[in-house]
Amino acid sequence: AGVLGDRGELDSAMHHYRRALALYRDVRERRREAQVLSNIGLVHAGYYGSSRLDPPRATAYFDSSTAISAALLTYAAHART
């Protein structure tokens, strides 16, 4: 999907990101879920151009990604002790 974004094909990129997000959530692959949420945030932050620019939406996706990543780090830290 990132390649599609680089080529300016944002509708197609978002389609693939949404599919990936649903799949990762279904299989509870939290690390990959966080990665896709961050990538969707980049689209809305204007990284691939301004056609989907929506800073509040980008922030929401980044916040969700960060929350998952923080939870995973906390879990990993507790697992080591």
Side-chain angles (χ1 to χ4, degrees):
V3 171
L4 293 169
D6 288 338
R7 292 172 33 187
E9 299 176 30
L10 296 183
D11 289 337
S12 186
M14 288 299 292
H15 170 76
H16 288 288
Y17 282 139
R18 286 188 191 104
R19 286 187 63 209
L21 184 60
L23 290 170
Y24 290 140
R25 284 179 170 164
D26 284 347
V27 298
R28 301 187 195 289
E29 179 56 60
R30 301 289 283 166
R31 184 177 66 84
R32 298 284 187 196
E33 179 184 351
Q35 184 177 19
V36 172
L37 288 167
S38 182
N39 289 342
I40 293 171
L42 287 173
V43 171
H44 292 296
Y47 181 80
Y48 297 108
S50 61
S51 68
R52 293 228 180 206
L53 185 63
D54 187 344
R57 193 175 223 177
T59 299
Y61 279 105
F62 291 141
D63 287 348
S64 295
S65 175
T66 300
I68 291 169
S69 297
L72 290 172
L73 287 171
T74 299
Y75 175 80
H78 287 290
R80 289 189 203 127
T81 58

Coordinates of all heavy atoms in Angstrom, one line a residue:
A1 N 0.8 -1.2 0.0 CA 0.0 0.0 0.0 C 0.9 1.3 0.0 O 0.5 2.3 -0.6 CB -0.9 0.0 1.2
G2 N 2.0 1.2 0.6 CA 2.9 2.3 0.7 C 3.4 2.7 -0.7 O 3.5 3.9 -1.0
V3 N 3.6 1.7 -1.6 CA 4.0 2.0 -3.0 C 2.9 2.7 -3.7 O 3.2 3.7 -4.4 CB 4.4 0.7 -3.7 CG1 4.6 0.9 -5.2 CG2 5.7 0.1 -3.1
L4 N 1.7 2.3 -3.4 CA 0.5 3.0 -4.1 C 0.5 4.4 -3.6 O 0.2 5.3 -4.4 CB -0.8 2.2 -3.8 CG -0.9 0.8 -4.4 CD1 -2.1 0.1 -3.8 CD2 -1.0 0.9 -5.9
G5 N 0.7 4.7 -2.3 CA 0.7 6.0 -1.8 C 1.8 6.9 -2.5 O 1.6 8.0 -2.9
D6 N 3.0 6.3 -2.6 CA 4.1 7.0 -3.3 C 3.7 7.3 -4.7 O 4.2 8.3 -5.3 CB 5.3 6.1 -3.3 CG 6.0 6.0 -2.0 OD1 5.7 6.9 -1.1 OD2 6.7 5.0 -1.7
R7 N 2.9 6.5 -5.4 CA 2.5 6.8 -6.8 C 1.3 7.7 -6.8 O 0.8 7.9 -7.9 CB 2.2 5.4 -7.5 CG 3.4 4.6 -7.7 CD 3.3 3.2 -8.2 NE 2.2 3.0 -9.1 CZ 1.8 1.8 -9.5 NH1 2.4 0.8 -9.1 NH2 0.8 1.7 -10.3
G8 N 0.8 8.1 -5.7 CA -0.4 9.0 -5.7 C -1.7 8.3 -5.8 O -2.8 8.9 -5.9
E9 N -1.7 7.0 -5.7 CA -3.0 6.2 -5.8 C -3.5 6.0 -4.4 O -3.6 4.9 -3.8 CB -2.7 4.9 -6.5 CG -2.2 5.0 -7.9 CD -1.8 3.7 -8.5 OE1 -2.4 2.7 -8.2 OE2 -0.9 3.8 -9.4
L10 N -4.0 7.1 -3.8 CA -4.4 7.1 -2.3 C -5.6 6.3 -2.1 O -5.8 5.6 -1.0 CB -4.5 8.5 -1.8 CG -3.2 9.3 -1.8 CD1 -3.5 10.7 -1.2 CD2 -2.1 8.6 -1.1
D11 N -6.6 6.3 -3.0 CA -7.8 5.5 -2.8 C -7.5 4.0 -2.7 O -7.9 3.3 -1.8 CB -8.8 5.7 -3.9 CG -9.5 7.1 -3.8 OD1 -9.5 7.7 -2.7 OD2 -10.0 7.6 -4.9
S12 N -6.6 3.6 -3.6 CA -6.2 2.2 -3.6 C -5.3 1.8 -2.4 O -5.5 0.8 -1.8 CB -5.4 1.9 -4.9 OG -5.1 0.5 -5.0
A13 N -4.5 2.8 -2.0 CA -3.6 2.5 -0.8 C -4.5 2.4 0.4 O -4.3 1.5 1.2 CB -2.6 3.7 -0.7
M14 N -5.5 3.3 0.5 CA -6.4 3.3 1.7 C -7.2 2.0 1.7 O -7.4 1.4 2.8 CB -7.3 4.5 1.7 CG -6.5 5.8 2.1 SD -5.8 5.7 3.7 CE -7.3 5.7 4.7
H15 N -7.6 1.5 0.6 CA -8.3 0.2 0.5 C -7.5 -0.9 1.1 O -7.9 -1.7 1.9 CB -8.7 0.0 -1.0 CG -9.2 -1.4 -1.2 ND1 -10.5 -1.8 -0.8 CD2 -8.7 -2.5 -1.7 CE1 -10.7 -3.1 -1.1 NE2 -9.6 -3.5 -1.7
H16 N -6.2 -0.9 0.6 CA -5.3 -2.0 1.1 C -5.0 -1.8 2.6 O -4.9 -2.8 3.3 CB -4.1 -2.0 0.3 CG -4.3 -2.6 -1.1 ND1 -4.6 -3.9 -1.4 CD2 -4.4 -1.9 -2.3 CE1 -4.8 -4.1 -2.7 NE2 -4.6 -2.9 -3.3
Y17 N -4.8 -0.6 3.0 CA -4.5 -0.4 4.5 C -5.7 -0.9 5.3 O -5.6 -1.5 6.3 CB -4.3 1.1 4.8 CG -2.9 1.6 4.4 CD1 -2.7 2.8 3.8 CD2 -1.8 0.8 4.7 CE1 -1.4 3.3 3.5 CE2 -0.5 1.2 4.3 CZ -0.3 2.5 3.8 OH 0.9 2.9 3.5
R18 N -7.0 -0.5 4.9 CA -8.1 -1.0 5.6 C -8.3 -2.5 5.6 O -8.6 -3.0 6.7 CB -9.4 -0.3 5.0 CG -9.5 1.2 5.4 CD -10.9 1.7 4.9 NE -10.8 3.1 5.0 CZ -10.7 4.0 4.0 NH1 -10.7 3.5 2.8 NH2 -10.7 5.3 4.2
R19 N -8.0 -3.1 4.5 CA -8.0 -4.6 4.5 C -7.0 -5.2 5.4 O -7.3 -6.1 6.2 CB -7.8 -5.1 3.1 CG -9.0 -4.9 2.2 CD -8.9 -5.5 0.8 NE -8.8 -7.0 1.0 CZ -8.1 -7.7 0.2 NH1 -7.5 -7.3 -0.9 NH2 -8.0 -9.0 0.4
A20 N -5.8 -4.6 5.4 CA -4.7 -5.1 6.2 C -5.1 -4.9 7.7 O -4.9 -5.8 8.5 CB -3.4 -4.4 5.9
L21 N -5.6 -3.7 8.0 CA -6.0 -3.4 9.4 C -7.0 -4.4 9.9 O -6.9 -5.0 11.0 CB -6.5 -2.0 9.5 CG -6.9 -1.5 10.9 CD1 -5.7 -1.5 11.8 CD2 -7.5 -0.1 10.8
A22 N -8.0 -4.7 9.1 CA -9.1 -5.7 9.5 C -8.5 -7.1 9.7 O -8.8 -7.7 10.7 CB -10.2 -5.7 8.4
L23 N -7.6 -7.5 8.8 CA -7.0 -8.8 9.0 C -6.1 -8.9 10.2 O -6.2 -9.9 11.0 CB -6.1 -9.1 7.7 CG -6.9 -9.4 6.4 CD1 -6.0 -9.5 5.2 CD2 -7.7 -10.7 6.6
Y24 N -5.3 -7.9 10.4 CA -4.4 -7.9 11.6 C -5.2 -7.9 12.9 O -4.9 -8.5 13.9 CB -3.4 -6.7 11.6 CG -2.4 -6.9 10.5 CD1 -1.9 -5.8 9.8 CD2 -1.8 -8.1 10.3 CE1 -1.0 -6.0 8.8 CE2 -0.8 -8.3 9.3 CZ -0.4 -7.2 8.6 OH 0.6 -7.4 7.6
R25 N -6.3 -7.2 12.9 CA -7.2 -7.2 14.1 C -7.8 -8.5 14.3 O -8.0 -9.0 15.4 CB -8.3 -6.1 14.0 CG -7.7 -4.7 14.2 CD -8.7 -3.6 14.1 NE -8.2 -2.3 14.6 CZ -8.7 -1.2 14.3 NH1 -9.8 -1.1 13.5 NH2 -8.2 -0.1 14.8
D26 N -8.3 -9.1 13.2 CA -8.9 -10.5 13.3 C -7.9 -11.5 13.9 O -8.4 -12.4 14.7 CB -9.3 -11.0 11.9 CG -10.6 -10.3 11.4 OD1 -11.3 -9.6 12.2 OD2 -10.9 -10.5 10.2
V27 N -6.7 -11.4 13.5 CA -5.7 -12.4 14.0 C -4.9 -11.9 15.3 O -4.0 -12.5 15.7 CB -4.7 -12.9 12.9 CG1 -5.4 -13.6 11.8 CG2 -3.8 -11.7 12.4
R28 N -5.3 -10.7 15.8 CA -4.8 -10.1 17.0 C -3.2 -9.9 16.8 O -2.5 -10.2 17.8 CB -5.1 -10.9 18.2 CG -6.6 -11.1 18.4 CD -6.8 -11.7 19.8 NE -8.2 -12.2 19.9 CZ -9.3 -11.5 20.1 NH1 -9.2 -10.2 20.1 NH2 -10.5 -12.0 20.3
E29 N -2.8 -9.4 15.7 CA -1.4 -9.1 15.4 C -1.3 -7.6 15.7 O -1.3 -6.8 14.8 CB -1.1 -9.4 14.0 CG 0.3 -9.1 13.6 CD 1.4 -9.7 14.4 OE1 1.5 -11.0 14.5 OE2 2.1 -9.0 15.1
R30 N -1.1 -7.3 17.0 CA -1.1 -5.9 17.5 C 0.0 -5.1 16.9 O -0.2 -3.9 16.6 CB -1.1 -5.9 19.0 CG -2.2 -6.6 19.6 CD -3.5 -5.9 19.5 NE -3.6 -4.8 20.4 CZ -4.4 -3.8 20.4 NH1 -5.4 -3.8 19.5 NH2 -4.4 -2.9 21.3
R31 N 1.2 -5.6 16.8 CA 2.3 -4.9 16.3 C 2.1 -4.4 14.8 O 2.3 -3.2 14.5 CB 3.6 -5.7 16.3 CG 4.9 -4.9 15.9 CD 6.1 -5.7 16.1 NE 6.2 -6.8 15.2 CZ 6.6 -6.8 13.9 NH1 7.0 -5.6 13.4 NH2 6.6 -7.8 13.1
R32 N 1.6 -5.3 14.0 CA 1.2 -4.9 12.6 C 0.0 -4.0 12.6 O 0.0 -3.1 11.7 CB 0.9 -6.2 11.8 CG 2.1 -7.1 11.7 CD 3.1 -6.6 10.7 NE 4.1 -7.7 10.5 CZ 5.3 -7.4 10.0 NH1 5.5 -6.2 9.6 NH2 6.1 -8.4 9.8
E33 N -0.9 -4.2 13.5 CA -2.1 -3.2 13.6 C -1.6 -1.8 13.8 O -2.0 -0.9 13.2 CB -3.0 -3.7 14.7 CG -4.2 -2.8 14.8 CD -5.1 -3.2 16.0 OE1 -4.9 -4.2 16.6 OE2 -6.0 -2.4 16.3
A34 N -0.6 -1.7 14.8 CA -0.1 -0.4 15.1 C 0.6 0.2 13.9 O 0.5 1.4 13.6 CB 0.9 -0.5 16.3
Q35 N 1.3 -0.6 13.1 CA 2.1 -0.1 12.0 C 1.1 0.4 10.9 O 1.3 1.5 10.3 CB 2.9 -1.3 11.4 CG 3.8 -0.9 10.3 CD 4.7 -2.0 9.8 OE1 4.4 -3.2 10.1 NE2 5.7 -1.7 9.1
V36 N 0.0 -0.3 10.7 CA -0.9 0.1 9.6 C -1.7 1.4 10.1 O -1.9 2.3 9.3 CB -2.0 -1.0 9.3 CG1 -3.1 -0.5 8.4 CG2 -1.3 -2.2 8.7
L37 N -2.0 1.4 11.4 CA -2.6 2.7 11.9 C -1.7 3.9 11.7 O -2.2 4.9 11.3 CB -3.0 2.5 13.4 CG -4.1 1.6 13.7 CD1 -4.2 1.3 15.2 CD2 -5.5 2.2 13.2
S38 N -0.5 3.7 11.9 CA 0.5 4.8 11.7 C 0.6 5.1 10.2 O 0.6 6.3 9.8 CB 1.9 4.4 12.2 OG 2.8 5.4 12.0
N39 N 0.5 4.1 9.3 CA 0.6 4.4 7.9 C -0.7 5.1 7.4 O -0.6 6.0 6.6 CB 0.7 3.1 7.1 CG 2.1 2.5 7.2 OD1 3.0 3.1 7.6 ND2 2.2 1.2 7.0
I40 N -1.8 4.8 7.9 CA -3.1 5.5 7.6 C -2.9 6.9 8.1 O -3.4 7.9 7.4 CB -4.3 4.8 8.2 CG1 -4.5 3.4 7.5 CG2 -5.5 5.7 8.0 CD1 -5.6 2.6 8.2
G41 N -2.4 7.1 9.3 CA -2.1 8.4 9.8 C -1.3 9.3 8.9 O -1.5 10.5 8.7
L42 N -0.3 8.7 8.3 CA 0.6 9.4 7.3 C -0.2 9.9 6.1 O 0.0 11.0 5.6 CB 1.7 8.5 6.8 CG 2.9 8.2 7.9 CD1 3.8 7.1 7.3 CD2 3.6 9.5 8.2
V43 N -1.1 9.1 5.7 CA -2.0 9.5 4.5 C -2.7 10.7 4.9 O -2.8 11.7 4.2 CB -2.9 8.4 4.1 CG1 -4.0 8.9 3.1 CG2 -2.2 7.2 3.5
H44 N -3.3 10.7 6.1 CA -4.2 11.9 6.6 C -3.3 13.1 7.0 O -3.8 14.2 7.1 CB -5.1 11.4 7.7 CG -6.2 10.5 7.2 ND1 -7.1 10.9 6.2 CD2 -6.4 9.2 7.4 CE1 -7.9 9.9 6.0 NE2 -7.5 8.8 6.7
A45 N -2.0 12.8 7.3 CA -1.1 13.9 7.6 C -0.6 14.6 6.4 O 0.2 15.6 6.5 CB 0.0 13.4 8.5
G46 N -0.9 14.1 5.2 CA -0.4 14.7 4.0 C 0.9 14.2 3.5 O 1.5 14.8 2.6
Y47 N 1.4 13.1 4.1 CA 2.7 12.6 3.7 C 2.8 12.3 2.2 O 3.8 12.5 1.5 CB 3.0 11.4 4.5 CG 4.4 10.8 4.2 CD1 5.6 11.3 4.7 CD2 4.5 9.7 3.4 CE1 6.8 10.8 4.4 CE2 5.7 9.1 3.1 CZ 6.9 9.7 3.6 OH 8.1 9.1 3.3
Y48 N 1.6 11.8 1.6 CA 1.6 11.4 0.2 C 0.9 12.5 -0.6 O 0.6 12.2 -1.8 CB 0.8 10.1 0.1 CG 1.5 8.9 0.8 CD1 1.0 8.4 1.9 CD2 2.7 8.4 0.3 CE1 1.6 7.3 2.6 CE2 3.3 7.3 0.9 CZ 2.8 6.8 2.1 OH 3.4 5.8 2.7
G49 N 0.7 13.6 -0.1 CA 0.1 14.7 -0.9 C -1.1 15.2 -0.1 O -1.6 14.6 0.9
S50 N -1.7 16.3 -0.5 CA -2.7 17.0 0.3 C -4.1 16.5 0.0 O -5.1 17.1 0.6 CB -2.6 18.5 0.2 OG -2.8 18.8 -1.2
S51 N -4.4 15.6 -0.9 CA -5.7 15.3 -1.3 C -6.5 14.6 -0.1 O -7.7 14.7 -0.1 CB -5.8 14.4 -2.5 OG -5.2 13.1 -2.2
R52 N -5.8 14.0 0.8 CA -6.5 13.4 2.0 C -6.1 14.1 3.3 O -6.3 13.5 4.4 CB -6.2 12.0 2.1 CG -6.7 11.2 0.9 CD -7.4 10.0 1.5 NE -7.9 9.2 0.4 CZ -9.0 8.4 0.6 NH1 -9.5 8.3 1.7 NH2 -9.4 7.7 -0.5
L53 N -5.6 15.3 3.2 CA -5.1 16.0 4.4 C -6.3 16.2 5.4 O -7.3 16.8 5.1 CB -4.5 17.4 4.0 CG -3.9 18.2 5.1 CD1 -2.7 17.4 5.7 CD2 -3.4 19.5 4.6
D54 N -6.0 15.7 6.6 CA -7.0 15.8 7.7 C -6.2 15.6 9.0 O -6.2 14.5 9.5 CB -8.1 14.7 7.5 CG -9.2 14.8 8.5 OD1 -9.1 15.6 9.5 OD2 -10.3 14.2 8.3
P55 N -5.6 16.7 9.5 CA -4.7 16.6 10.6 C -5.4 16.0 11.9 O -4.8 15.2 12.5 CB -4.3 18.0 10.9 CG -4.3 18.6 9.5 CD -5.5 18.0 8.8
P56 N -6.7 16.3 12.2 CA -7.3 15.7 13.4 C -7.4 14.2 13.2 O -7.2 13.4 14.2 CB -8.6 16.4 13.5 CG -8.5 17.7 12.8 CD -7.5 17.4 11.7
R57 N -7.7 13.8 12.0 CA -7.9 12.3 11.8 C -6.5 11.7 11.8 O -6.4 10.6 12.4 CB -8.5 12.1 10.4 CG -9.0 10.7 10.2 CD -9.7 10.6 8.9 NE -10.9 9.8 9.1 CZ -11.7 9.6 8.1 NH1 -11.6 10.2 7.0 NH2 -12.8 8.8 8.4
A58 N -5.5 12.3 11.3 CA -4.1 11.8 11.4 C -3.7 11.6 12.8 O -3.2 10.6 13.2 CB -3.2 12.7 10.6
T59 N -4.0 12.6 13.6 CA -3.6 12.5 15.0 C -4.3 11.4 15.7 O -3.7 10.7 16.5 CB -4.0 13.9 15.7 OG1 -3.2 14.9 15.1 CG2 -3.7 13.8 17.2
A60 N -5.6 11.2 15.4 CA -6.3 10.0 16.0 C -5.7 8.7 15.6 O -5.5 7.8 16.5 CB -7.8 10.1 15.6
Y61 N -5.3 8.5 14.4 CA -4.6 7.3 14.0 C -3.3 7.1 14.6 O -2.9 6.1 15.1 CB -4.5 7.2 12.5 CG -5.7 6.8 11.8 CD1 -6.5 7.7 11.1 CD2 -6.1 5.4 11.8 CE1 -7.7 7.3 10.5 CE2 -7.3 5.0 11.2 CZ -8.1 5.9 10.5 OH -9.2 5.5 9.9
F62 N -2.5 8.2 14.7 CA -1.2 8.2 15.4 C -1.3 7.8 16.9 O -0.6 7.1 17.4 CB -0.4 9.5 15.2 CG 0.1 9.7 13.8 CD1 0.0 11.0 13.3 CD2 0.6 8.7 13.0 CE1 0.5 11.3 12.0 CE2 1.0 9.0 11.7 CZ 1.0 10.3 11.2
D63 N -2.3 8.4 17.5 CA -2.6 8.2 18.9 C -2.9 6.7 19.1 O -2.5 6.1 20.1 CB -3.7 9.1 19.5 CG -3.3 10.5 19.6 OD1 -2.1 10.8 19.6 OD2 -4.2 11.4 19.9
S64 N -3.8 6.1 18.3 CA -4.1 4.7 18.4 C -2.9 3.8 18.2 O -2.7 2.9 19.0 CB -5.2 4.4 17.4 OG -6.4 5.0 17.6
S65 N -2.1 4.2 17.2 CA -0.9 3.4 17.0 C 0.1 3.5 18.2 O 0.6 2.4 18.6 CB -0.2 3.9 15.7 OG 1.1 3.3 15.5
T66 N 0.2 4.7 18.7 CA 1.1 4.9 19.9 C 0.6 4.1 21.1 O 1.4 3.5 21.8 CB 1.2 6.4 20.2 OG1 1.8 7.0 19.0 CG2 2.1 6.6 21.4
A67 N -0.7 4.1 21.3 CA -1.3 3.4 22.5 C -1.0 1.9 22.4 O -0.6 1.3 23.4 CB -2.8 3.7 22.6
I68 N -1.2 1.3 21.2 CA -0.9 -0.1 21.0 C 0.6 -0.4 21.2 O 0.9 -1.3 21.9 CB -1.4 -0.5 19.6 CG1 -2.9 -0.5 19.5 CG2 -0.9 -2.0 19.3 CD1 -3.4 -0.7 18.1
S69 N 1.4 0.4 20.7 CA 2.9 0.2 20.8 C 3.3 0.3 22.3 O 4.1 -0.5 22.7 CB 3.6 1.2 20.0 OG 3.4 1.1 18.6
A70 N 2.7 1.3 23.0 CA 3.1 1.4 24.4 C 2.6 0.2 25.2 O 3.3 -0.3 26.1 CB 2.4 2.7 25.0
A71 N 1.4 -0.3 24.9 CA 0.9 -1.5 25.6 C 1.8 -2.7 25.3 O 2.1 -3.5 26.2 CB -0.5 -1.8 25.2
L72 N 2.3 -2.8 24.1 CA 3.1 -3.9 23.7 C 4.5 -3.8 24.4 O 5.0 -4.8 24.9 CB 3.4 -4.0 22.2 CG 2.1 -4.4 21.4 CD1 2.4 -4.2 19.9 CD2 1.7 -5.8 21.7
L73 N 5.0 -2.6 24.5 CA 6.3 -2.4 25.3 C 6.1 -2.7 26.8 O 7.0 -3.4 27.4 CB 6.8 -1.0 25.1 CG 7.3 -0.7 23.7 CD1 7.6 0.8 23.6 CD2 8.6 -1.5 23.4
T74 N 5.0 -2.3 27.3 CA 4.7 -2.6 28.7 C 4.6 -4.1 29.0 O 5.2 -4.7 29.9 CB 3.4 -1.9 29.2 OG1 3.6 -0.5 29.0 CG2 3.1 -2.2 30.6
Y75 N 3.9 -4.8 28.1 CA 3.7 -6.2 28.2 C 5.1 -6.9 28.1 O 5.4 -7.8 28.9 CB 2.8 -6.7 27.1 CG 2.7 -8.2 27.0 CD1 1.8 -8.9 27.9 CD2 3.4 -9.0 26.1 CE1 1.7 -10.3 27.9 CE2 3.3 -10.4 26.1 CZ 2.5 -11.0 27.0 OH 2.3 -12.4 27.0
A76 N 5.9 -6.5 27.1 CA 7.2 -7.1 26.9 C 8.1 -6.9 28.1 O 8.9 -7.8 28.6 CB 7.9 -6.5 25.7
A77 N 8.0 -5.7 28.7 CA 8.9 -5.4 29.9 C 8.4 -6.3 31.1 O 9.3 -6.8 31.8 CB 8.7 -3.9 30.3
H78 N 7.2 -6.5 31.3 CA 6.7 -7.3 32.3 C 7.0 -8.8 32.1 O 7.2 -9.6 33.0 CB 5.2 -7.2 32.6 CG 4.8 -5.9 33.2 ND1 5.1 -5.6 34.5 CD2 4.2 -4.7 32.7 CE1 4.7 -4.3 34.8 NE2 4.2 -3.8 33.7
A79 N 7.0 -9.2 30.8 CA 7.3 -10.6 30.5 C 8.7 -11.0 30.8 O 9.1 -12.1 31.1 CB 7.0 -10.8 29.0
R80 N 9.6 -10.0 30.8 CA 11.0 -10.2 31.0 C 11.4 -10.3 32.5 O 12.4 -10.8 32.9 CB 11.9 -9.1 30.4 CG 11.9 -9.1 28.9 CD 12.9 -8.1 28.4 NE 12.5 -7.8 27.0 CZ 12.4 -6.6 26.5 NH1 12.6 -5.6 27.3 NH2 12.0 -6.4 25.3
T81 N 10.5 -9.8 33.3 CA 10.7 -9.9 34.8 C 10.2 -11.1 35.4 O 9.5 -11.8 35.0 CB 10.2 -8.6 35.5 OG1 8.8 -8.6 35.3 CG2 10.9 -7.4 35.0

